[in-house]
Amino acid sequence: MELQLALDLVNIPEAIKLVREVEKSIDVVEIGTPVIINEGLRAVKEMKEAFPKLTVLADLKIMDAGGYEVMKASEAGADIITVLGATDDATIIGAVEEAKKHGTKILVDMINVKDIKKRTYEIDALGVDYICVHTGYDLQAVGENSFEQLQIIKRIVKNAKTAVAGGIKLKTLPEVIQAEPDLVIVGGGITGQEDKKDVAAQMQRLVKQGLVSQG
């Protein structure tokens, strides 16, 4: 089980400063979609250069031209790249094929997928590395969370690893860990806290304890 920090509302210098605070407690750093929209793939490149030992995820949310976009993100230094589960199989297959050429990984984000069960079966057969349940900002605002969906995909996947994102905080983390995802993605639960270093360290301890209890 690994802890991923999602950076959504920062520029490149702020992102690097923030990661410096918490780098000992995180396994993966995510360059969020808003950062990539504002800064481009340069954000991925600069983060990987600043933290070569961290796994860097580029949250491109690819919906089309899977192969090309994965190629560009891989060239920028991304280790994991996101594709939307709501896209067609051809886009996912193209992304997976390109990722294999570069030694990068594909995470399929199930945000706004209506039939989670059916789509998980389909995507799990396409050779992706992670399937992620994700409650977006807008749905979090009306009280939805990803935990139930995580339990659904955990029962289905046979090939891919599982990930969960959306509104995870220190107090809700134990509930998430019980469902045993491979990747726990936290944004504001760390970045919005006053003592980011301490909260990230506490989260990493819980994640690693969860790993020990599974073992």
Side-chain angles (χ1 to χ4, degrees):
M1 199 183 300
E2 292 188 313
L3 181 63
Q4 175 172 313
L5 174 67
L7 300 172
D8 285 322
L9 303 172
V10 289
N11 56 37
I12 297 171
E14 284 171 346
I16 289 172
K17 181 172 177 282
L18 205 158
V19 173
R20 277 224 169 87
E21 275 187 71
V22 300
E23 66 174 306
K24 289 181 179 167
S25 299
I26 62 171
D27 304 293
V28 183
V29 57
E30 171 188 329
I31 309 300
T33 315
V35 181
I36 291 172
I37 287 170
N38 289 334
E39 307 270 11
L41 285 169
R42 187 167 60 91
V44 175
K45 186 172 186 292
E46 292 192 23
M47 186 62 71
K48 191 64 184 178
E49 285 171 354
F51 303 98
K53 290 182 181 172
L54 280 179
T55 298
V56 175
L57 179 143
D59 190 19
L60 295 189
K61 292 190 173 76
I62 294 169
M63 195 69 177
D64 190 20
Y68 177 77
E69 295 197 8
V70 166
M71 176 182 72
K72 299 313 285 183
S74 299
E75 287 171 353
D79 300 294
I80 306 173
I81 299 144
T82 67
V83 180
L84 291 180
T87 191
D88 56 274
D89 289 359
T91 297
I92 297 172
I93 291 165
V96 168
E97 287 174 353
E98 189 63 31
K100 283 181 176 152
K101 293 178 193 172
H102 297 273
T104 51
K105 293 181 177 174
I106 297 298
L107 179 146
V108 171
D109 186 336
M110 301 293 272
I111 191 168
N112 292 337
V113 168
K114 300 306 175 202
D115 190 336
I116 286 278
K117 281 187 188 173
K118 179 173 179 285
R119 195 67 183 125
T120 299
Y121 277 114
E122 293 166 352
I123 290 169
D124 193 42
L126 298 179
V128 306
D129 299 283
Y130 295 91
I131 298 176
C132 177
V133 290
H134 181 186
T135 303
Y137 284 119
D138 298 338
L139 285 178
Q140 286 175 46
V142 294
E144 289 203 26
N145 68 50
S146 307
F147 308 151
E148 207 173 293
Q149 290 182 341
L150 175 59
Q151 288 163 340
I152 291 169
I153 70 162
K154 282 290 293 187
R155 289 195 290 268
I156 294 170
V157 290
K158 292 193 166 48
N159 306 307
K161 292 182 176 180
T162 57
V164 59
I168 298 169
K169 296 179 173 58
L170 189 56
K171 66 178 181 183
T172 59
L173 184 57
E175 184 185 354
V176 176
I177 289 169
Q178 279 183 344
E180 300 183 356
D182 297 289
L183 193 56
V184 178
I185 302 168
V186 180
I190 293 174
T191 61
Q193 307 309 304
E194 201 168 315
D195 192 340
K196 298 170 185 57
K197 186 175 180 179
D198 180 61
V199 172
Q202 287 186 64
M203 285 190 162
Q204 182 63 270
R205 269 198 301 277
L206 285 169
V207 163
K208 291 299 176 255
Q209 282 167 11
L211 189 65
V212 169
S213 66
Q214 284 177 59

